[in-house]
Amino acid sequence: MIASVLPTYNRAPLNFVKGEGAWLIEADGRRFLDLGAGIAVNALGHAHPALVEALTTQAQALWHTSNLYHIPQQEELADRLVEATFADTVFFTNSGTEACELAVKMARRHFHDAGQPERTRIIAFEGSFHGRSAAGIAAAGSEKMTAGFGPLLPGFTHLPWGDHDALRAAIDDTTAAILIEPVQGEGGIRPLPDQCLKGLRDLCDERGPLLILDEVQCGVGRTGRLFAHEWAGVEPDIMMVAKGIGGGFPLGAVLATERAGAAMTAGTHGSTYGGNPLACAVGNAVMKIVADPAFLSDVRARAGAFRQKLEGLVAAHPDVFEAVRGSGLMLGLKCRAPNADLVTAAYAQNLCVVPAADNVLRLLPPLNITAEEIAEAVTRLDAAAKSVSSSC
Ligand SMILES: *Cc1c(COP(=O)(O)O)cnc(C)c1O
């Protein structure tokens, strides 16, 4: 008999009932150190007082009105994002995959209205992840995500990661956009080198397509900058955001320049829930903290300390780990032992980590994790590595 919850996930046998900062408490009382943060969602950890306050205050006033009316919290959050980024305009969604849907629609509509309706094709990259909607799986294109779901949304080209010649050859007069994650998350914590992102921007400027960045996982302070592309000193035309922006409340956004967003006039797109008062009250509370340069500088300092300790861990367990990679607090341990074994071994040490493709162990702690918690995490990872190594 099928489970009452559609069994699309292989779940760990854990039932968390409470969260406190970087800690998750199991129903039986065990305290787990959380280096997954709900897959980079709980950017400020669990039950952050400012977020709880924003949510409960808004919950007592007004939950939902729909986008038939002005929503002051939504306008405030849009203003904050416009103020802090390249963007001139923002549309709010409930998830990353909905942000992908709009990013694709926006790029196509831009060229439709610009008198180049043949520009519909989106160039995307192998190993990428853009969500589970029809556009999201077509954009990622992997067999694992698309098998059995055809016919797929047409108009996507997939290129190998880092093949510059293939990219130059693939752009033509039908290309609407290049879509890429500045740091691949699900694909195995693979950062795009700064010069490659600069090269993509130049290529788009030269040849016409829009640059869409998927910062759903790497954005909102995760890399130690508010958005990951800031490291390369270039700006996209369209950017997808979700995960960390809601700190655990479902919230996503598409940010765009005036030029890229101008074709999305009244009636061209919508969302019943997107940007509702509850979600945006929390989003504002997240942005107030995360967009502060002093907070981001602390993230960079914590990330540096964590990375250094992880390098030591890799050196101590050359049979288990191969290398550390990533950016800021979006870190990956490339494994020699099967990453799934390490995830299980970490659970035995009351530690939550997340697997990714390419046999990588993902470490995505809350951005406000303390130095003591980082040290504790490394101690537990060390114990997990020892147990995996002795069972090989
Ligand atoms: C998680 C993720 C998405 C999809 O977001 P959902 O909120 O799960 O729909 C899209 N792109 C990237 C890079 C992601 O990490």
Side-chain angles (χ1 to χ4, degrees), residues 349-373:
Q349 302 300 326
N350 291 2
L351 179 72
C352 293
V353 291
V354 186
D358 200 25
N359 202 31
V360 164
L361 205 62
R362 248 186 300 180
L363 312 175
L364 308 159
L367 303 179
N368 55 358
I369 188 170
T370 65
E372 295 72 37
E373 287 162 344

Side-chain angles (χ1 to χ4, degrees), residues 42-69:
N42 304 105
L44 296 171
H46 302 281
H48 189 287
L51 273 52
V52 173
E53 161 70 20
L55 184 73
T56 51
T57 302
Q58 187 59 45
Q60 278 156 18
L62 185 64
W63 291 20
H64 178 82
T65 55
S66 92
N67 286 298
L68 294 173
Y69 313 106

Side-chain angles (χ1 to χ4, degrees), residues 95-97 129-131 181 186 214 216-217 240 242-243:
S95 66
T97 202
F129 183 79
H130 303 295
E181 294 161 80
E186 306 301 311
D214 181 345
V216 168
Q217 194 162 148
M240 297 153 52
K243 293 202 166 97

Side-chain angles (χ1 to χ4, degrees), residues 3-55:
S4 61
V5 175
L6 190 72
T8 60
Y9 281 91
N10 284 316
R11 295 168 196 269
L14 293 166
N15 298 275
F16 293 117
V17 292
K18 192 172 162 56
E20 291 169 4
W23 298 85
L24 280 170
I25 293 112
E26 222 273 346
D28 63 10
R30 278 179 295 161
R31 292 174 62 85
F32 283 68
L33 188 47
D34 184 11
L35 296 193
I39 317 184
V41 166
N42 304 105
L44 296 171
H46 302 281
H48 189 287
L51 273 52
V52 173
E53 161 70 20
L55 184 73

